Amino acid sequence: MRTMRLYIAGSTDNLRTIALKYKVRIEELISLNPHIIAPLSNIAGQQIKLPTLGGVLDKTTELPPCTLQLINPEACEQWIPLNSLDEMQHKEYDVLIVGTGAGGGAVLRRLIQQLADSGKRIGVIERGGLLIPTHAQNIETMNSRRVFDYYSSEAYYIDNYLSGQIYALGGRTLFWSTTSPRMTNSELLQWPVPLSEMNRYYALAEKALSVTPNFTKGAPLTQLLLDRLQRNGYPDATDEPLAVNLEPSNAFGVMNSNPVFSSVHFLAEALNRPYDLAIHARAVKVLTDQNRCVGVEVISPDKQTFRLKAKNVVLSASTFGSAQILLNSDIKGRAIGHYMTNHSRVLGLGQVNRNEFPEVLGPLRILVPGQIDRPYQIQIVGPGDYPWVQYAEQPLQEKWNFFLGTLGKVEARYDNYVSLDPVKRDEDGVPELNIHFSYSVRDEEVIRQMGEGVKKAAAAMNASLVSAEGPALCRLPIGSDIHEMGTCRMGEDPSTSATNHFGQIHGITGLYVADNSVIPTSGTANPTLTTVALAFRTADEIAKRLK
């Protein structure tokens, strides 16, 4: 048993000199001798308690120093592990994914899951850089005006077409609305994928994106207006399905810090297995050998050219980007670049009286899905800037405005297409993309119906259509839906489709497309959920062939 030791202080002793003499911490002496007022006071002749031998420092039992890793000076710019193109050009990948938006991220996540520890090598390249590490709505300092300005300043707009292209890790999922409905069954029955398979992959996509109909459940404004719609001619109106993770953050100590989904979530999940990722890496050509894909040609910002080898390549560079790469590669296919669609849009500004609702309004997110006899979808969002208020103080108002936005079905026509400019080249020496697009007579009729539909829906909710900075009801410019689709549409006939039903380019083994461009008809639903579902299916086909 250890016993306390005692020491009789000499004429020049204080607690500090005793601590140095016996190699003990002065804090221990102070705690053992509370009667000593100050560590430097004279204590000659007093009994001083010393720690037991177990508390004395013994040079023979000193602990070794901890090994600390040196700080990586590049870490401040890399919140995700990155590789250089120089590294990647010396490897051969089993799968190389071009683009990190919804389609590319989904293919990566699914391949990582399916191939697990098979040792297959996966590479990813992204034309843009590290813009933001999450959806903009997860950033507390954003509001509706600021995110619009931020998006617009980063977006690249092709001449004569308003749709903004985002070149960044995560692509346009950094800014999307998160609205995630399925295509209607009547639309899907025209597609080359069996309805049962689409439903299965939709379920997988909804789980992966944390799609929920409960974001506005219980919000008085949503529920009261929804009830009015359902009682007045819109029985299929519903709470808008959103890709927002509402799971509590305290489950098993896991913090849910990024509830609004972006493709960065897929990239993060995929880090459970190794993959290579290079940014500022623009794919400009697909490399083939005897009708088989063997890799891609990539240009870096300093205009160096790299040839990355791959047994399978998945183009997820966007509806415009994937088509541009294929056309620049001289990949044969009558339908490549053709049958481009989007959604036509009509926007209405509604208004309700504040005194018709309880004190707490809550957010407003309602979806009226398209139907065979209603070739458009209505999204009802508000009040005001509610989805983006974050910490902003909201003044009391007698009336609240909200938006009624429609998405109209647009015909898939061969005459709507993208092509390479025969003369103009961009800064990387790639032929610029020209867009040839117009609405058909049928499309114009749908737009007219949407205008009437917005009026009818507003009346069903007992809401007024009002003018603010612009008209109460307006037709948005072509491309403003940011939902372009179809330039690499899937199908069984190579004369009317660019890929087969798994997204593989007709006649080129190992070359796939997985983004909005494979969607064969526009339908009326926002396309992201469908793109993820189809990308999962394409990834499963690739994994099956690799096993």
Side-chain angles (χ1 to χ4, degrees):
M1 183 178 68
R2 295 178 177 179
T3 57
M4 185 66 68
R5 296 182 297 155
L6 296 177
Y7 171 76
I8 305 300
S11 59
T12 60
D13 277 332
N14 56 44
L15 290 186
R16 177 167 291 174
T17 62
I18 296 172
L20 291 172
K21 180 177 180 179
Y22 286 95
K23 295 183 175 60
V24 298
R25 293 186 302 114
I26 193 168
E27 292 83 4
E28 290 185 86
L29 291 181
I30 293 172
S31 64
L32 289 172
N33 299 276
H35 60 285
I36 305 299
I37 298 174
L40 299 181
S41 60
N42 190 293
I43 54 175
Q46 295 190 43
Q47 282 189 351
I48 303 301
K49 295 178 181 179
L50 300 176
T52 63
L53 287 175
V56 178
L57 292 175
D58 184 348
K59 288 186 177 181
T60 62
T61 60
E62 285 186 354
L63 295 174
C66 296
T67 301
L68 299 178
Q69 291 185 341
L70 296 177
I71 295 174
N72 176 7
E74 298 178 354
C76 62
E77 299 177 355
Q78 295 186 11
W79 39 263
I80 187 170
L82 298 176
N83 301 86
S84 69
L85 286 172
D86 187 57
E87 291 177 76
M88 293 180 69
Q89 73 174 342
H90 297 295
K91 301 177 181 179
E92 182 179 28
Y93 293 95
D94 293 288
V95 185
L96 182 66
I97 301 167
V98 178
T100 59
V107 169
L108 174 65
R109 177 189 184 270
R110 190 68 176 172
L111 284 176
I112 291 292
Q113 288 179 328
Q114 296 293 77
L115 296 176
D117 298 318
S118 65
K120 300 298 182 183
R121 183 172 284 169
I122 300 175
V124 184
I125 58 174
E126 166 57 50
R127 177 175 176 174
L130 305 179
L131 183 59
I132 51 177
T134 184
H135 189 284
Q137 203 164 345
N138 292 326
I139 298 175
E140 295 173 306
T141 56
M142 289 286 186
N143 60 32
S144 60
R145 181 72 246 181
R146 193 169 296 120
V147 77
F148 178 80
D149 291 341
Y150 190 69
Y151 173 87
S152 299
S153 67
E154 296 292 337
Y156 168 71
Y157 293 89
I158 299 174
D159 289 344
N160 80 344
Y161 197 85
L162 187 63
S163 182
Q165 310 299 300
I166 293 291
Y167 302 134
L169 196 74
R172 289 193 296 206
T173 67
L174 300 175
F175 301 98
W176 72 307
S177 72
T178 75
T179 306
S180 302
R182 298 185 181 191
M183 290 278 186
T184 61
N185 285 349
S186 59
E187 195 72 32
L188 296 173
L189 288 172
Q190 306 172 49
W191 291 13
V193 182
L195 182 59
S196 59
E197 278 199 51
M198 282 303 306
N199 287 332
R200 181 164 72 89
Y201 280 100
Y202 267 137
L204 290 171
E206 287 164 343
K207 182 177 180 181
L209 271 62
S210 299
V211 174
T212 176
N214 297 323
F215 185 78
T216 49
K217 285 278 187 177
L221 184 58
T222 289
Q223 299 311 313
L224 288 169
L225 292 183
L226 183 58
D227 180 64
R228 292 178 183 178
L229 281 168
Q230 292 173 342
R231 286 189 288 106
N232 293 298
Y234 295 90
D236 54 344
T238 184
D239 292 89
E240 191 173 27
L242 302 176
V244 181
N245 188 350
L246 299 182
E247 290 298 313
S249 295
N250 60 356
F252 304 105
V254 176
M255 293 183 64
N256 181 13
S257 59
N258 293 278
V260 183
F261 176 86
S262 78
S263 185
V264 175
H265 185 85
F266 282 160
L267 302 176
E269 284 188 318
L271 288 174
N272 286 304
R273 299 288 184 274
Y275 66 89
D276 291 346
L277 169 64
I279 59 174
H280 297 302
R282 182 186 181 184
V284 295
K285 284 184 180 180
V286 174
L287 304 175
T288 60
D289 181 19
Q290 297 182 348
N291 295 326
R292 178 167 190 87
C293 180
V294 295
V296 295
E297 184 177 300
V298 181
I299 292 181
S300 64
D302 59 1
K303 310 311 175 192
Q304 289 190 66
T305 299
F306 299 84
R307 295 169 72 88
L308 305 188
K309 299 182 288 293
K311 298 173 183 175
N312 297 277
V313 168
V314 182
L315 297 180
S316 301
S318 81
T319 293
F320 294 149
S322 293
Q324 186 177 30
I325 293 169
L326 290 170
L327 293 171
N328 193 46
S329 308
D330 199 27
I331 300 294
K332 303 301 180 184
R334 179 179 180 272
I336 293 175
H338 291 263
Y339 296 99
M340 176 184 158
T341 64
N342 60 17
H343 286 130
S344 54
R345 293 202 71 188
V346 168
L347 185 65
L349 183 64
Q351 188 178 84
V352 290
N353 293 318
R354 180 68 184 79
N355 59 12
E356 295 181 19
F357 303 93
E359 182 176 346
V360 178
L361 287 175
L364 173 61
R365 299 295 290 262
I366 293 174
L367 180 76
V368 180
Q371 300 290 355
I372 294 176
D373 58 350
R374 186 172 61 226
Y376 57 89
Q377 169 183 286
I378 306 176
Q379 292 172 244
I380 302 169
V381 180
D385 288 339
Y386 200 104
W388 287 97
V389 294
Q390 304 289 43
Y391 295 105
E393 295 179 358
Q394 296 293 290
L396 294 175
Q397 299 184 48
E398 291 184 11
K399 299 177 185 290
W400 272 106
N401 293 342
F402 61 93
F403 292 103
L404 298 94
T406 60
L407 298 180
K409 181 173 180 176
V410 172
E411 289 187 304
R413 295 184 295 129
Y414 183 84
D415 291 341
N416 282 338
Y417 67 101
V418 298
S419 63
L420 299 182
D421 193 288
V423 177
K424 295 179 182 178
R425 299 288 187 272
D426 61 26
E427 60 182 12
D428 294 321
V430 178
E432 291 188 0
L433 202 64
N434 292 329
I435 299 174
H436 313 267
F437 186 88
S438 63
Y439 288 140
S440 68
V441 173
R442 172 59 181 159
D443 298 335
E444 293 289 352
E445 171 59 21
V446 171
I447 292 171
R448 188 197 65 77
Q449 291 179 37
M450 287 194 290
E452 294 303 313
V454 168
K455 295 176 186 178
K456 181 181 175 184
M461 292 184 288
N462 194 30
S464 304
L465 288 175
V466 298
S467 300
E469 297 179 0
L473 191 63
C474 61
R475 168 179 174 166
L476 289 172
I478 291 176
S480 58
D481 61 304
I482 321 180
H483 290 172
E484 55 272 358
M485 298 164 270
T487 57
C488 301
R489 71 197 304 244
M490 60 168 54
E492 299 304 332
D493 185 352
S495 68
T496 58
S497 62
T499 78
N500 68 12
H501 62 284
F502 286 115
Q504 180 179 315
I505 291 290
H506 292 302
I508 306 292
T509 304
L511 179 56
Y512 297 84
V513 182
D515 53 30
N516 285 13
S517 68
V518 300
I519 297 176
T521 58
S522 75
T524 59
N526 310 62
T528 301
L529 180 72
T530 299
T531 291
V532 171
L534 292 174
F536 279 173
R537 187 170 179 272
T538 294
D540 282 356
E541 174 67 11
I542 295 171
K544 184 175 73 173
R545 290 174 178 270
L546 286 174
K547 288 180 180 178

